[in-house]
Amino acid sequence: MGNVSQAPGEAFEAGGGRDDTGCVRPVGPARAVPTQAGSPETAPSAGAVPSAGAAAVPAAGAAAGAGGEPVDASLVRRVGLLRTVLGRSRRGGRRHAVFCGLFAVAVAARVLVLVAYPPALMYLGDSAAYLDQAWRDLWPGDWRPSGYPIFLRILDGPSHVTRIVVVQHLLTLAVAVALYAVALRAVRRPWLAALAAAPALLAPWVLDLGQFVLADSLFGVLVSAGVAVLAGWDRPRAVAAAGAGLLLGAALCVRTVGYGPLAVAVVVLVADAVAARGDRAPVRAAPVRAVAPVLAFVVAAAVPVGAYAGWSAAEGKGFAVSAHSGFFLYGRVAPFADCSTISRADLRTLCDPRPTDQRGSPVRYLWPADSPLRQGHRQIPPGREDLAGTFAHEVVREQPWALVTSSARYLAGYLYPVPYETPQTSRVDTWELPTRGTNVLAPDDAHADDGYFVATAVHSPPAGLLAAWSRLSYAPMPLVGLGLLAGVAASLLTAGRAIRARRAARRRGIGRPVDRPDVVGRLFWLAAGSGVSTLGLSAVTSGFDYRYLGAVIGPIALAAIIGASAFVAALRRRTAA
C-alpha cells in the first residue's frame, strides 16, 4: 500500500486510474488523512512500491515551490485562468483586428469632433426648441414628438450641453459594435463584417449628427439597436422581441418616421412565426411558441407609444404621437401641387401661383411669414393648419403619381456619388462637418428659408480635416445601392431554389422537404427594410434631407454588405449545381 491512507468511498487521486489491487479508481479530489509520525502508516513495507496516488498528493493539495516552500493551489488555478484569458484575448484580437482598428479610429474621430466644435452644433429652430422644452416644461403637442426633449431632461442637457453630445457619440459607438456582431453572424468573415460596421463608426453624417442637439442621432441609435436585438437570433424569443419592441416604440416617440422600422419588424416576426409553424414541433406547443415573439413585440412597442399618445390625449391634443402631420404634408405637396385641380376657393388660397419649376423646397411653405399658409403672420392664423391638411390630402388624391415620382427621385438622390441638391431639396452643406461658424444665406438666395447650423466655436486644424472627410462621404453611395439590389436578387435566387427543391420532392414522392431558415436573407430584409422604410417615409411626408440618411446609414450599409455577400454565395451555389 502507499503512504497515504484514504477515507472510505473517496478517490485515490484527481486523475483517476487504478489502485494497488488493480481496480479502477473513480475520478475525484485526493485528500490525505493525517497520521502520527512513526506509526506503521508512515513507514512503507519492505519492497512496497509507492502508488501513483502518493505522487499526486502535492499537486492536489499544496505544491512544493522553490526551496521547499508550499504554494497555494488557488494561486496556481488563478494563474492558469489568467493565462487562458490572455490566450483567448490574443486570438480574439487577431480575429477582430480590423474592427478594433476601425473602432480606435472612430473614437479618435469623435474626440476630434468634440475638440473642433465645442460645446455642440445647433440647428436653427429645432435645437433651441428641444432645449427650451427640456428646460421649462415638457408637453406632447409640439411640432415634433417630445421623445428627444425627454432624453435631454434625463441628461440634464440644457445645463450640460457637452454631456448631450458625448452621450450621443458613445451611443453611436455602442450600436456600431452591435451591428458588427450582427454582420459577423451573416458573413462569417471578420474583415467583411468590419466593413459592414464601418459607416456606423466613421460616416461623416454620423459624426456630424452626434455633435448636433437634434433628435436624429438618438433616433438612429434606437432603430439600429432594435435591428441588432432582433437579428441576434434566427428566430428571437419573446424576451428579445419585447426588448426590440421597446426600442423601436421609443424611436417612434422621437421621430414619426419610426413607423417604418416598426412595420418592418412586425412583418419579419410574422414571417418567422409562419416558418416556425411549418417546423416539426408538438402540435399544441408550436402555435404558442411561434406567435409569442410577435405578441411580445407588439405589446412592448405599444408601451411607449401608448403612453405618449395617452399623454397627448390628456393634454387635449388627441390620441396621437404627432398633432401636426397635415402641416408637414402640406409643405411636401405644395412644390408640385396643380391648383387647376383644386375646386374649393378656400383651398386655392394655399396654392403657389408660380410654375412648379420656380417653386422652392417644402420648408418654404411652412415657416416664413410670407408663405401662403401664414399670409404675412408669424403665427399660423386660426383654422389655416386644418385647411392645409385638407389641401394636402386633396393634392395627393388628385396627383398621386407626382408624389410617387418625386419621392423616388429623392430616394435615388441618396445614392448619388456627388451631393444631391436641387431647389426642392434641403441644403447639403448643413450636414457636412463645417469650417465656419454658420452657413446662413442672404435673403435673396433660393435656399434662404432652409435651416442652417450655428457653431459656438470652430477650431482648426481639426475642423479642416473633418470637413475634408465629409466631402468623401458621397462617393461610396452607389456601391451601397448596388449592395441593396444584390440582396434583393439573392433573395429571389434563394426563393427560386427552394421552389425547385419542393417540386423535385413532389415528383419523387418523398413529401415536402424541411425548409431551413434563411438566416442571411432575414437579416438583410430586417436591416434594409428598417433603413429604407425610414427614408421612404421621410421622402413621402417631408422631402429630401441628408440627416435622414445619416440617422440610418448603419443598418443600410449593413444590409448592403450582407446583400452583396449573399448574392455571391447564391451565384456560387447555382454554378455548383
Side-chain angles (χ1 to χ4, degrees):
M1 296 293 293
N3 62 346
V4 177
S5 61
Q6 299 270 325
E10 292 185 341
F12 278 69
E13 63 177 288
R18 295 180 180 273
D19 61 12
D20 296 339
T21 63
C23 298
V24 178
R25 294 192 301 268
V27 176
R31 185 174 68 181
V33 178
T35 57
Q36 296 182 357
S39 64
E41 290 85 351
T42 61
S45 304
V49 179
S51 68
V57 171
E69 295 291 336
V71 179
D72 189 357
S74 63
L75 177 61
V76 176
R77 288 194 298 270
R78 286 195 293 269
V79 171
L81 179 61
L82 179 61
R83 289 176 178 174
T84 301
V85 171
L86 290 176
R88 291 179 178 176
S89 299
R90 285 194 294 269
R91 291 192 296 271
R94 288 192 296 268
R95 174 174 168 78
H96 306 293
V98 176
F99 178 77
C100 290
L102 290 175
F103 188 87
V105 174
V107 171
R110 283 160 175 79
V111 172
L112 287 179
V113 171
L114 291 169
V115 171
Y117 314 109
L121 295 172
M122 300 290 175
Y123 184 67
L124 173 69
D126 293 25
S127 298
Y130 286 135
L131 289 170
D132 179 65
Q133 189 179 162
W135 176 266
R136 293 196 300 170
D137 191 17
L138 296 170
W139 63 87
D142 203 359
W143 295 106
R144 301 158 193 85
S146 298
Y148 188 64
I150 294 172
F151 172 74
L152 299 182
R153 175 71 68 87
I154 294 172
L155 296 179
D156 193 17
S159 301
H160 305 88
V161 175
T162 302
R163 180 186 300 171
I164 299 172
V165 296
V166 168
V167 170
Q168 289 178 169
H169 285 309
L170 292 175
L171 289 175
T172 57
L173 288 172
V175 297
V177 175
L179 293 178
Y180 171 70
V182 171
L184 199 58
R185 291 188 68 241
V187 300
R188 303 295 182 183
R189 298 178 180 85
W191 68 268
L192 195 56
L195 182 62
L201 287 170
L202 289 167
W205 298 303
V206 174
L207 301 177
D208 185 59
L209 289 175
Q211 193 66 12
F212 267 98
V213 181
L214 283 175
D216 302 88
S217 182
L218 178 62
F219 173 77
V221 165
L222 292 171
V223 171
S224 298
V227 169
V229 170
L230 284 180
W233 290 264
D234 296 348
R235 290 172 184 165
R237 297 182 178 180
V239 174
L246 284 173
L247 290 167
L248 295 179
L252 176 59
C253 298
V254 174
R255 290 199 68 95
T256 52
V257 288
Y259 283 114
L262 269 175
V264 169
V266 170
V267 171
V268 170
L269 288 173
V270 169
D272 291 343
V274 172
R277 287 291 302 273
D279 291 346
R280 295 179 179 179
V283 176
R284 294 182 180 178
V288 176
R289 292 177 182 176
V291 176
V294 181
L295 296 178
F297 178 87
V298 172
V299 171
V303 171
V305 176
Y308 189 97
W311 177 34
S312 177
E315 296 289 331
K317 304 295 184 179
F319 191 80
V321 175
S322 176
H324 303 277
S325 57
F327 169 80
F328 288 104
L329 187 59
Y330 164 73
R332 174 66 180 87
V333 302
F336 64 80
D338 182 4
C339 294
S340 64
T341 63
I342 305 297
S343 58
R344 290 173 48 180
D346 56 347
L347 294 181
R348 285 199 298 270
T349 62
L350 292 165
C351 287
D352 186 342
R354 297 176 297 175
T356 55
D357 58 352
Q358 297 179 15
R359 299 179 187 179
S361 63
V363 296
R364 176 67 186 83
Y365 299 90
L366 299 179
W367 308 111
D370 61 347
S371 66
L373 175 64
R374 297 179 184 259
Q375 295 184 321
H377 301 85
R378 293 188 60 187
Q379 302 295 328
I380 301 176
R384 296 287 290 177
E385 185 178 344
D386 293 337
L387 194 66
T390 305
F391 176 92
H393 289 95
E394 181 79 11
V395 172
V396 171
R397 185 165 54 250
E398 295 293 332
Q399 299 176 258
W401 187 243
L403 181 62
V404 171
T405 54
S406 60
S407 299
R409 285 196 301 271
Y410 290 159
L411 288 175
Y414 289 118
L415 303 177
Y416 276 33
V418 294
Y420 179 74
E421 182 176 316
T422 72
Q424 283 75 40
T425 67
S426 66
R427 298 171 59 187
V428 169
D429 62 347
T430 302
W431 311 113
E432 294 177 347
L433 293 159
T435 56
R436 49 184 173 155
T438 183
N439 66 336
V440 63
L441 296 174
D444 59 346
D445 191 281
H447 284 282
D449 297 316
D450 290 2
Y452 56 85
F453 70 83
V454 175
T456 304
V458 177
H459 294 157
S460 294
L465 181 64
L466 292 167
W469 174 240
S470 280
R471 289 190 289 271
L472 300 176
S473 57
Y474 308 97
M477 292 310 299
L479 298 178
V480 173
L482 290 176
L484 295 176
L485 291 176
V488 174
S491 296
L492 294 176
L493 290 174
T494 302
R497 184 185 181 195
I499 292 173
R500 289 192 298 272
R502 292 177 185 176
R503 289 176 178 174
R506 283 198 298 267
R507 286 196 300 268
R508 297 172 185 174
I510 58 177
R512 177 179 174 178
V514 178
D515 294 332
R516 296 182 180 180
D518 182 12
V519 177
V520 176
R522 177 183 181 276
L523 297 183
F524 168 78
W525 286 108
L526 181 61
S530 298
V532 174
S533 66
T534 298
L535 296 181
L537 276 178
S538 63
V540 170
T541 60
S542 300
F544 179 93
D545 204 328
Y546 272 110
R547 66 169 166 168
Y548 303 140
L549 175 62
V552 293
I553 187 63
I556 287 177
L558 171 68
I561 294 296
I562 292 177
S565 176
F567 181 68
V568 172
L571 287 181
R572 288 177 177 173
R573 287 194 299 267
R574 189 178 181 88
T575 303

